[in-house]
Amino acid sequence: MPALQSLSLSPADWWNHAVLYQIYPRSFADSNGDGIGDIPGIISKLPHIADLGVDALWLSPFYTSPQKDAGYDVADYCNVDPIFGSLSDAEKLIETAHEYGLRIIVDVVPNHSSDQHPWFQKALAAKPGSRERARYMFREGKGVAGDLPPNNWESVFGGPAWTRVAESDGSPGQWYLHLFDASQPDFEWKNPEVWELFRSVLTFWLDRGVDGFRVDVAHGLIKAEGLPDEEKLHHPPLGNNGSFWDQEGVHAVYQEWRKILESYGPDKMLCAEAWVMPLSKMAHYVRSDEMHQAFNFGYLATSFEAEALRSIINESLAAFGGVGSPSTWVLSNHDVVRHATRLGTDFVSQGQPTGIGPRSPEKPDALLGLRKARAATALMLALPGSAYLYQGEELGLPEVIDIPDDRRKDPTFFRTHGERYGRDGCRVPIPWEAGAPAYGFNTTGESWLPQPQAFAELARDNQVGDPDSTLELYRSLLRFRNQQGLGKGSLVWLDGFSSDVVAFANGSVSVVSNTGEQPTARPDGEVLVTTTALGDEMIPAHTTVWIKTA
Ligand code: NOJ
Ligand code: CA
């Protein structure tokens, strides 16, 4: 366990080359045994995260919330939900992370609140046309009796994006927009009061020492004038098309937020969750007067195939380089099928809430998936720029497929009547100790989603010190990445390899990723890391090696 480093944090533009570790608080560590992870649990495990070798943490929401969408339905942005702890626990977490030399960014959810937010409760009680209703997107319905939704938009989680309310006299009334669950009403971002609310949310957490924010649904805040019908509906409705994604008006919001952050110093950052394609459009979110980063979902959605990888890497470097920013890289998060499973099937990530479950046609090959995932991660962590890891991927955790229907929690599953499984499979509490209750997630054995037996073998304590384990692979990758300055480096493609191979130099490290089925020749030099054992002079199938050349 490393000694506490008193605030020896890296310089102002730390995010440009940082590795950030995403904590999903519900599923990380549970201190009081109620089956839901919490902030004291996170604090108790910080030594392990510091020991992994990452630079920063991103925490998914821990704010006051009825948990209809696992905390992305916020009822009070400036407080902590009792299931996660208290505000002073959050303050202690920020302070302790800093003592370990870890930066910490938190989630901000500006597109919508919970329907339990006091503003929405007041809006329901108020009349059409009132100031209270003007903070959300209430509209009259269509049809003679107003009983049809105002337009044809669909929720990302399935079903209509509109819900009708009853007015105070009990009569059927207006409709409100929710791009996600009905419990997540969208704010009206043309209303200055909404701008003011979020100014105060940002300053509240900046005053408590956070190093920045991950901005939820950053591309959704502004809707097209007149809320026109969608010509073509997408299932799920992700991407940049349409009347509610990536409207030009969103950028003004982040230009203002950037100034707020800068007033706290040069080392505060914003990262956009913006499912916008192509990357050249996503890069608009990281122009010099806006955010500092955006998750590279184009990379996440790329299969482990050499040509596709070369092309997305080139596209990423060009798109983000074009706005003067290094790229980010990511393979997993709390919304997508874990990459150790995704890469073991032909299953193509549709982005957010599609999922995989017992009745899905895909039958992932767990061994192949893990092998490719290790190779894919080694490739990712060698790329210049910043990378995001999702809790549990360092253990090689698979997506949990066999969750019984009656234990599922994702609103996607219910809103699509089971047609889409949603995201529960990547959110199962992670295993710390093979022989302990709930695999060490807590001491009572409770778990808000059931953990599979396969987690025993993958538990952290089983992997520590085993050089072949995925945990030790991640530790080596992060150590060499730091030592060799790969995050701050640059990429030069290497020629002379077969078309199945992705090969580049980053400084004096050659990175060779064999995505194909056949072994390929290994360049000379000292092997720093390999993702599968090397028997001879060849690089086996589905393997990445880092070779020191000078
Ligand atoms: C994106 C978040 O990552 C996801 O988990 C959430 O359901 C939606 N935004 C809505 O807030
Ligand atoms: Ca708990």
Side-chain angles (χ1 to χ4, degrees):
M1 204 173 289
L4 290 192
Q5 310 157 20
S6 218
L7 288 169
S8 63
L9 298 170
S10 40
D13 63 349
W14 59 273
W15 54 81
N16 279 339
H17 46 83
V19 177
L20 295 97
Y21 181 93
Q22 180 190 357
I23 293 187
Y24 193 66
R26 295 180 72 82
S27 304
F28 191 67
D30 172 19
S31 73
N32 63 353
D34 64 355
I36 301 177
D38 45 52
I39 297 178
I42 298 171
I43 295 173
S44 73
K45 302 288 190 195
L46 280 179
H48 297 306
I49 309 178
D51 174 64
L52 189 60
V54 299
D55 305 292
L57 309 174
W58 151 37
L59 263 84
S60 282
F62 48 77
Y63 316 114
T64 314
S65 160
Q67 303 290 315
K68 293 283 167 50
D69 183 24
Y72 281 93
D73 48 323
V74 181
D76 182 353
Y77 290 86
C78 298
N79 213 335
V80 171
D81 196 282
I83 62 169
F84 295 125
S86 63
L87 187 55
S88 60
D89 289 331
E91 289 168 346
K92 185 171 170 214
L93 170 62
I94 297 165
E95 194 188 320
T96 317
H98 285 164
E99 285 170 0
Y100 278 102
L102 295 165
R103 302 259 184 187
I104 177 164
I105 69 169
V106 295
D107 231 293
V108 61
V109 188
N111 180 68
H112 46 264
S113 70
S114 158
D115 60 359
Q116 300 306 308
H117 192 284
W119 273 14
F120 193 73
Q121 288 298 312
K122 283 186 188 145
L124 288 179
K127 290 194 166 33
S130 59
R131 172 181 174 187
E132 288 80 5
R133 290 238 168 143
R135 295 162 175 159
Y136 292 92
M137 304 199 64
F138 282 89
R139 295 290 185 279
E140 298 301 327
K142 280 190 178 159
V144 224
D147 51 359
L148 298 172
N151 69 23
N152 70 349
W153 295 0
E154 287 183 6
S155 152
V156 174
F157 295 159
W162 295 92
T163 291
R164 194 171 196 187
V165 301
E167 300 301 350
S168 46
D169 62 0
S171 62
Q174 288 191 305
W175 299 70
Y176 67 90
L177 177 71
H178 51 87
L179 292 184
F180 294 88
D181 191 52
S183 64
Q184 295 167 294
D186 279 46
F187 282 116
E188 172 54 86
W189 268 93
K190 289 179 184 153
N191 184 338
E193 282 197 88
V194 174
W195 287 65
E196 187 50 40
L197 171 67
F198 281 93
R199 271 178 215 127
S200 68
V201 171
L202 296 184
T203 54
F204 182 87
W205 290 105
L206 287 164
D207 286 342
R208 276 157 188 79
V210 301
D211 298 289
F213 301 90
R214 174 265 190 193
V215 183
D216 189 64
V217 201
H219 58 317
L221 275 44
I222 304 281
K223 282 76 181 176
E225 205 55 52
L227 312 185
D229 272 350
E230 282 287 275
E231 276 173 29
K232 186 168 176 289
L233 290 166
H234 298 268
H235 299 279
L238 297 167
N240 57 318
N241 299 321
S243 312
F244 43 89
W245 297 139
D246 196 34
Q247 303 294 310
E248 194 48 39
V250 295
H251 296 291
V253 176
Y254 310 125
Q255 285 158 3
E256 187 190 91
W257 288 14
R258 170 83 173 227
K259 294 196 188 103
I260 295 174
L261 265 75
E262 283 175 352
S263 74
Y264 280 80
D267 58 350
K268 305 290 180 190
M269 69 90 112
L270 291 165
C271 178
E273 188 223 17
W275 291 84
V276 172
M277 290 296 176
L279 292 178
S280 54
K281 286 207 85 185
M282 189 192 280
H284 289 178
Y285 290 76
V286 286
R287 288 176 291 197
S288 60
D289 59 348
E290 292 192 36
M291 302 216 205
H292 306 82
Q293 288 191 332
F295 293 113
N296 188 339
F297 293 127
Y299 189 73
L300 183 149
T302 303
S303 53
F304 191 63
E305 285 166 345
E307 202 181 313
L309 286 164
R310 275 191 296 269
S311 144
I312 192 73
I313 292 169
N314 277 331
E315 188 186 337
S316 305
L317 296 175
F320 293 104
V323 292
S325 168
S327 186
T328 64
W329 313 100
V330 60
L331 287 165
S332 277
N333 67 27
H334 66 294
D335 287 329
V336 299
V337 172
R338 282 187 178 274
H339 68 285
T341 296
R342 218 171 59 223
L343 301 179
T345 140
D346 292 336
F347 179 78
V348 179
S349 164
Q350 300 288 326
Q352 195 157 242
T354 301
I356 184 165
R359 296 179 294 276
S360 302
E362 303 84 6
K363 300 292 169 226
D365 177 334
L367 281 180
L368 180 66
L370 181 57
R371 184 176 172 123
K372 284 192 184 177
R374 289 164 57 102
T377 301
L379 174 64
M380 174 177 88
L381 287 175
L383 291 167
S386 154
Y388 278 80
L389 305 178
Y390 174 49
Q391 68 179 38
E393 66 167 272
E394 76 280 16
L395 304 175
L397 294 190
E399 184 82 358
V400 180
I401 295 173
D402 292 320
I403 301 176
D405 289 0
D406 62 1
R407 295 288 308 269
R408 289 193 178 267
K409 292 283 188 299
D410 188 343
T412 311
F413 182 73
F414 301 100
R415 290 184 61 89
T416 62
H417 308 288
E419 192 191 311
R420 282 195 251 142
Y421 280 104
R423 304 155 295 174
D424 292 325
C426 64
R427 298 177 173 181
V428 174
I430 64 172
W432 295 89
E433 291 169 58
Y439 305 113
F441 171 59
N442 56 25
T443 55
T444 59
E446 292 294 315
S447 179
W448 71 280
L449 284 172
Q451 299 166 297
Q453 270 180 4
F455 274 19
E457 198 186 326
L458 295 166
R460 188 176 190 283
D461 69 339
N462 258 345
Q463 300 199 33
V464 176
D466 172 357
D468 297 332
S469 72
T470 302
L471 178 66
E472 294 299 341
L473 171 67
Y474 271 69
R475 292 184 67 214
S476 302
L477 291 169
L478 291 165
R479 191 174 66 247
F480 286 123
R481 177 185 158 94
N482 275 335
Q483 266 175 20
Q484 305 294 328
L486 302 184
K488 297 177 188 162
S490 55
L491 174 148
V492 179
W493 292 114
L494 297 175
D495 297 328
F497 292 86
S498 92
S499 61
D500 278 347
V501 172
V502 180
F504 60 85
N506 183 344
S508 58
V509 176
S510 291
V511 178
V512 185
S513 208
N514 181 8
T515 71
E517 307 288 335
Q518 301 305 320
T520 193
R522 166 152 53 101
D524 292 338
E526 179 200 350
V527 175
L528 296 178
V529 204
T530 178
T531 61
T532 46
L534 300 176
D536 49 25
E537 297 304 302
M538 305 298 277
I539 301 173
H542 314 311
T543 297
T544 298
V545 291
W546 291 8
I547 295 170
K548 179 93 176 144
T549 51

